[in-house]
Amino acid sequence: MSAKHYFLGIDIGSTTSKCVIVDDKNNIVGKSLKTGGAGTKSPEEVVQESLNQAQLSSKDVEISCATGYGRKLINWTDYELSELSCHAIGGKYLFPGVRTIIDIGGQDAKVLKLDEHGSMTKFIMNDKCAAGTGRFLDMMANAFGGKSSDLSSYDEKSESIAQISSTCSVFAESEVISKLASGESLPNIVAGVHESVVDRTVSLVKRAGIVEPVAMTGGVTLNTSLVKRLEKRLDVTIHTSPIAQYNGALGAALYAKSKFEE
Amino acid sequence: MSQVKEVVAELSEIAQNPGKQLDKFIQDGKRVIGVSPYHNPEELVYAAGAIPFGVWGAVGQAIEARQYFPPFYCSICQMSLEMGLTHKLDQLSGMMITTLCDTLKAFTQNWKAGVQDVPLIFVSQPQNNQCEAGKEYVLRSYTEVKDKIQECAHHIISDEELRAAINLYNEWRKAMREFIELAGKRPTVISPIERAHVISASYFMDKADHLEKLKELNEALSQEPESLGDYKPIVLSGIYQDIPAILDLLEEHKFTAVADDLAKESRNVAVDVQDTGDALPDLSAAFSNVEADSLVYDPNKKHIDKVISLAQDNDAKGIVILLAKFCDPEEFDAPLIVKAAQEQNIPAVVIEIDQSTESYEQANTKLETFAEILN
Ligand code: SF4
């Protein structure tokens, strides 16, 4: 390949939109993430921002692929692929040799099993409720007037774990409020919230069966305290990446590239 | 081809408008008796000159039924009771309900307590259906069922009438098995949704009429070569699939059931009634021959092996388990099927289904991903 070619992947989730542009050497030349998923302006904006970053125009994009729950709402991409397949492709690239990928997104959690060649052989998704997902953490942070990005640092200060027993987000929210009212420290409550997400994730991972190496993707990977708790409970090292949040979009871009190579 | 389309259009219309069918039977002066799942001896109804009418719930929300059932009961029973309580089934002369799972057992009593206008025909069946005591129990039970049907249908059933009904049903079951085999391997001629509608329609038709239609379809389909097109051959396992959103998803992701293990489809037509003399003992013996089914006692878990063999014998690329929400018998078997499939390197996926679910976004993602794995 002499002239450069560019491939765009867009992942329109329930709470965020992400876009990644790769060149024909798999270098990420542009990427963008915005809150606001399906039905907002964010999908358009992340595409424009990624193009700007890469100093490209939409005409320079050879092939594009959309993924994520909101992908049906746009019709300009050349391909679409389910988010699980995109996560498998992205995960294989970010974490070569990975066999288990845990992805905790805005409103779902999933575990993907890959074979030695990086092909997805099995996947498990959470039940149809927000417990154990990013949305659950947002709601819990809201309950004490904080942001989910603050949760990790609160947990670092915890001395013990306040038990959050409700698996239903709505009940858990009132449990958090009543624990606060009864004088429990915020860090301990956050530790309890994290443990409840870990509980859910552990059962999901165990249902899929864990094979190392294990990687984690999705916005929740930014919460390092939670990742540490999960590592401890699963007794494995969990690989993460600073761009793990872009994994779905990256997988879509790489899929677009593979279509070009075909 | 055009003959297939014509028959299918007629049956699809019936499958989607059971209420109209019920009205039609009543206008024609027929007595109609409701028939719940599973393995109900509906030949008795037919022999009594009445029309057996399938009652397997309906898509919608249970409101009145919640007075009787807690929320964690399956939607087939919830929605069937809902229809009874909201007077949608008042035209029935009786309602046969079996007892093969705990939910159905509770359903019998809730029907009796809540639906005053339609008498319950209690069809007690032992899960332990193959031992001598079980066999004897079914015969006694069916004797009582026969009495109750005679009362509801205002007709005394002769042995000849019962034998004639059994013969018709045997012929119909054979035609259904043929249809299922032919249609699954020709999704480009008859789509998976149309296949499902043809089967669903049988629950709301006089079996003699449905048999006529099946014969026409089978004749036309057998002239066509097998052709999968871009459909992926799978085995469908579970209780039922005829929820419009589920049928649409299976079609959208291009799955065709080259064989099925659905209680409402193949399992319902798996066992014929033998002719060894007296009709009623023969009918009850047929229930004792039900096996490899999540609904009867299956100590060696033949059901699991059967699903795997169905996949292997029909070159299916995968198994889709449509797990009815809150269904104990199926929930026990589903993980075993998944494990056995894994051991044989057959991809399998479990999709939870329910007549009261409004959004199938997660099922969509799962089926889409599964389709990508199979490709
Ligand atoms: S077998 Fe399952 S779906 Fe059928 S009536 Fe019983 S609980 Fe409901």
Side-chain angles (χ1 to χ4, degrees):
Chain A
M1 276 190 237
S2 51
K4 276 212 163 188
H5 300 92
Y6 299 97
F7 309 95
L8 181 146
I10 178 163
D11 177 3
I12 308 175
S14 56
T15 51
T16 55
S17 299
K18 300 131 218 164
C19 179
V20 167
I21 300 174
V22 297
D23 66 13
D24 33 29
K25 297 218 162 49
N26 289 347
N27 300 311
I28 297 176
V29 295
K31 64 177 182 8
S32 169
L33 178 150
K34 281 198 182 299
T35 50
T40 68
K41 280 203 165 323
S42 297
E44 250 171 69
E45 290 169 5
V46 289
V47 169
Q48 200 47 55
E49 240 182 66
S50 309
L51 288 169
N52 293 348
Q53 217 181 75
Q55 298 182 326
L56 299 171
S57 85
S58 54
K59 286 194 213 79
D60 300 317
V61 173
E62 202 73 43
I63 298 183
S64 56
C65 174
T67 187
Y69 143 90
R71 70 185 174 283
K72 303 262 185 239
L73 301 174
I74 56 169
N75 53 12
W76 50 264
T77 57
D78 303 302
Y79 290 95
E80 51 172 80
L81 192 67
S82 79
E83 59 244 57
L84 283 106
S85 296
C86 285
H87 275 282
I89 298 169
K92 180 183 164 190
Y93 173 76
L94 284 182
F95 314 100
V98 69
R99 299 293 300 275
T100 308
I101 300 174
I102 303 166
D103 178 81
I104 306 187
Q107 64 179 21
D108 61 15
K110 33 198 181 272
V111 178
L112 280 60
K113 299 282 295 287
L114 273 57
D115 65 15
E116 59 273 32
H117 312 294
S119 303
M120 179 169 42
T121 53
K122 189 175 176 185
F123 61 93
I124 303 247
M125 293 175 78
N126 65 322
D127 303 325
K128 273 172 273 162
C129 96
T133 71
R135 181 67 59 85
F136 178 77
L137 292 168
D138 290 344
M139 285 177 75
M140 295 310 112
N142 269 339
F144 63 82
K147 291 197 290 255
S148 44
S149 52
D150 303 332
L151 292 173
S152 189
S153 52
Y154 276 116
D155 189 354
E156 280 165 18
K157 298 186 200 93
S158 65
E159 285 158 356
S160 63
I161 299 165
Q163 195 72 35
I164 305 290
S165 49
S166 305
T167 45
C168 160
S169 315
V170 178
F171 289 142
E173 195 172 6
S174 35
E175 215 178 325
V176 165
I177 294 168
S178 70
K179 290 242 166 6
L180 278 172
S182 66
E184 184 64 87
S185 85
L186 192 49
N188 291 354
I189 294 175
V190 172
V193 166
H194 283 170
E195 280 298 326
S196 108
V197 173
V198 168
D199 283 345
R200 286 255 156 173
T201 314
V202 166
S203 37
L204 207 61
V205 174
K206 293 216 164 140
R207 260 166 65 198
I210 197 156
V211 181
E212 291 189 79
V214 180
M216 188 166 161
T217 59
V220 174
T221 48
L222 301 175
N223 185 331
T224 47
S225 303
L226 195 148
V227 177
K228 272 191 213 141
R229 288 188 181 278
L230 189 58
E231 278 186 315
K232 197 168 153 205
R233 285 278 290 282
L234 290 172
D235 196 22
V236 294
T237 304
I238 296 179
H239 302 276
T240 60
S241 153
I243 55 163
Q245 260 188 292
Y246 294 88
N247 192 38
L250 173 64
L254 294 171
Y255 179 74
K257 179 172 166 266
S258 72
K259 285 287 164 190
F260 178 72
E261 287 162 355
E262 269 175 20
Chain B
M1 264 302 248
S2 65
Q3 190 192 0
V4 171
K5 291 291 161 206
E6 229 170 82
V7 177
V8 162
E10 193 186 327
L11 297 187
S12 292
E13 170 72 19
I14 292 173
Q16 294 173 89
N17 297 291
K20 257 199 204 165
Q21 275 295 100
L22 181 54
D23 291 343
K24 201 167 109 325
F25 288 132
I26 300 296
Q27 274 161 18
D28 292 348
K30 299 267 187 198
R31 284 188 169 263
V32 183
I33 289 182
V35 178
S36 86
Y38 301 91
H39 306 298
N40 230 326
E42 61 175 80
E43 288 91 333
L44 285 166
V45 176
Y46 203 86
I51 301 287
F53 196 80
V55 179
W56 286 59
V59 169
Q61 298 298 324
I63 296 163
E64 299 297 322
R66 287 284 157 92
Q67 293 172 58
Y68 295 87
F69 281 129
F72 49 83
Y73 273 42
C74 76
S75 58
I76 289 186
C77 290
Q78 298 258 14
M79 290 307 299
S80 298
L81 182 62
E82 183 75 13
M83 288 194 288
L85 294 170
T86 52
H87 304 285
K88 306 233 168 30
L89 299 172
D90 283 359
Q91 301 180 97
L92 298 180
S93 301
M95 176 69 196
M96 293 172 88
I97 307 180
T98 59
T99 53
L100 277 176
C101 72
D102 290 349
T103 312
L104 282 167
K105 285 187 188 98
F107 180 32
T108 59
Q109 301 313 297
N110 288 341
W111 185 278
K112 206 165 156 185
V115 187
Q116 314 296 342
D117 298 333
V118 184
L120 168 74
I121 303 170
F122 183 75
V123 185
S124 182
Q125 295 155 318
Q127 275 179 344
N128 209 328
N129 64 336
Q130 283 166 26
C131 65
E132 282 312 312
K135 289 179 185 167
E136 202 185 311
Y137 186 95
V138 195
L139 180 54
R140 282 204 209 165
S141 165
Y142 281 15
T143 308
E144 282 176 27
V145 171
K146 182 181 165 197
D147 289 346
K148 189 75 187 175
I149 288 175
Q150 294 182 147
E151 214 176 278
C152 294
H154 296 186
H155 182 94
I156 301 295
I157 304 167
S158 70
D159 209 53
E160 291 70 40
E161 283 167 332
L162 183 53
R163 181 60 67 190
I166 287 173
N167 289 343
L168 169 70
Y169 269 70
N170 278 346
E171 204 187 335
W172 170 75
R173 280 185 280 259
K174 183 165 170 271
M176 279 283 277
R177 294 193 293 264
E178 274 166 24
F179 169 74
I180 288 169
E181 165 115 34
L182 287 164
K185 294 183 173 134
R186 290 164 182 77
T188 53
V189 181
I190 176 165
S191 77
I193 294 187
E194 291 171 333
R195 170 197 175 280
H197 283 165
V198 169
I199 298 170
S200 304
S202 73
Y203 284 84
F204 312 126
M205 289 173 75
D206 182 320
K207 290 292 186 289
D209 295 340
H210 193 255
L211 175 62
E212 281 309 304
K213 302 288 172 195
L214 281 179
K215 282 182 178 167
E216 276 181 54
L217 278 177
N218 290 349
E219 172 62 30
L221 285 172
S222 60
Q223 309 291 321
E224 302 281 340
E226 287 185 11
S227 131
L228 291 178
D230 54 353
Y231 283 89
K232 289 162 282 289
I234 53 153
V235 165
L236 275 181
S237 177
I239 295 291
Y240 62 134
Q241 62 160 331
D242 56 349
I243 294 174
I246 291 297
L247 293 177
D248 288 346
L249 282 179
L250 291 168
E251 173 70 50
E252 185 186 338
H253 300 301
K254 297 278 175 205
F255 291 110
T256 181
V258 282
D260 81 78
D261 162 59
L262 297 173
K264 199 172 178 183
E265 300 190 355
S266 285
R267 281 196 235 167
N268 189 44
V269 293
V271 181
D272 287 333
V273 181
Q274 305 304 317
D275 187 350
T276 65
D278 291 342
L280 193 64
D282 282 343
L283 187 63
S284 74
F287 178 73
S288 301
N289 288 337
V290 173
E291 61 169 12
D293 189 315
S294 62
L295 293 149
V296 294
Y297 181 55
D298 183 16
N300 299 317
K301 287 287 169 208
K302 286 188 186 167
H303 179 215
I304 316 300
D305 299 338
K306 186 191 85 182
V307 179
I308 303 299
S309 308
L310 279 178
Q312 289 169 333
D313 298 347
N314 292 284
D315 295 324
K317 281 187 165 184
I319 299 171
V320 175
I321 302 173
L322 298 175
L323 182 59
K325 193 170 173 181
F326 302 126
C327 172
D328 289 354
E330 289 284 303
E331 276 171 359
F332 284 124
D333 283 4
L336 300 176
I337 296 174
V338 172
K339 190 162 165 251
Q342 235 164 28
E343 284 164 8
Q344 299 298 321
N345 286 324
I346 306 169
V349 69
V350 180
I351 307 288
E352 188 184 74
I353 67 166
D354 180 72
Q355 294 172 337
S356 302
T357 295
E358 280 167 352
S359 161
Y360 276 106
E361 198 45 53
Q362 200 186 47
N364 184 20
T365 307
K366 280 188 173 181
L367 285 172
E368 183 179 28
T369 310
F370 193 65
E372 286 164 5
I373 288 182
L374 297 191
N375 267 334

